[in-house]
Amino acid sequence: MKTTLKLEELGMFVLGIFLFTQLSYAWWWFLVLILLPDIGMLGYLINTKVGALTYNIFHHKGLAVVIYLIGIYFDMELLKLIGIILFSHASLDRIFGYGLKFKDNFKNTHLGEIGNN
């Protein structure tokens, strides 16, 4: 099952790359921005509860899709880009076993404990 889920996430990551190619940005922007959502980890400098909240906001695929769709509705390429980067990053993280965080510990995710996936 874990392999199936990772393949599904890989498919979503490839979808993110495809959607990015539909924008007018140079390809290297994808490479530059793909790790930017990890800025959400800065919340862990405060405590695990705030860290989990900020991390999950930057790694929530539903939020990424909403931002992308708002970009489509208002024809705002920057919002589409933000949605694509958030979505693609979250998929990439989940391929490697990094899921949404619980507030008790960074390693405790919806995919299980990091390192045991």
Side-chain angles (χ1 to χ4, degrees), residues 49-65:
K49 184 177 181 180
V50 172
L53 175 66
T54 56
Y55 182 94
N56 290 344
I57 288 170
F58 282 89
H59 291 79
H60 194 287
K61 287 197 225 175
L63 180 60
V65 170

Side-chain angles (χ1 to χ4, degrees), residues 17-84:
I17 292 171
F18 170 75
L19 292 173
F20 180 82
T21 66
Q22 305 306 299
L23 303 177
S24 65
Y25 295 95
W27 67 268
W28 56 266
W29 275 110
F30 188 86
L31 297 175
V32 168
L33 297 173
I34 193 62
L35 296 179
L36 190 60
D38 279 337
I39 197 167
M41 287 192 291
L42 290 176
Y44 282 99
L45 295 174
I46 299 170
N47 62 43
T48 57
K49 184 177 181 180
V50 172
L53 175 66
T54 56
Y55 182 94
N56 290 344
I57 288 170
F58 282 89
H59 291 79
H60 194 287
K61 287 197 225 175
L63 180 60
V65 170
V66 167
I67 292 169
Y68 179 76
L69 292 175
I70 291 170
I72 289 174
Y73 183 80
F74 289 108
D75 195 26
M76 296 178 65
E77 195 162 74
L78 180 60
L79 285 180
K80 292 180 208 176
L81 174 66
I82 292 168
I84 290 168

Side-chain angles (χ1 to χ4, degrees), residues 69-108:
L69 292 175
I70 291 170
I72 289 174
Y73 183 80
F74 289 108
D75 195 26
M76 296 178 65
E77 195 162 74
L78 180 60
L79 285 180
K80 292 180 208 176
L81 174 66
I82 292 168
I84 290 168
I85 293 298
L86 291 173
F87 183 83
S88 299
H89 177 88
S91 292
L92 187 61
D93 267 9
R94 291 176 189 161
I95 290 169
F96 294 109
Y98 295 98
L100 297 174
K101 309 297 184 214
F102 289 101
K103 62 182 176 182
D104 63 334
N105 186 319
F106 178 81
K107 287 187 167 192
N108 189 11

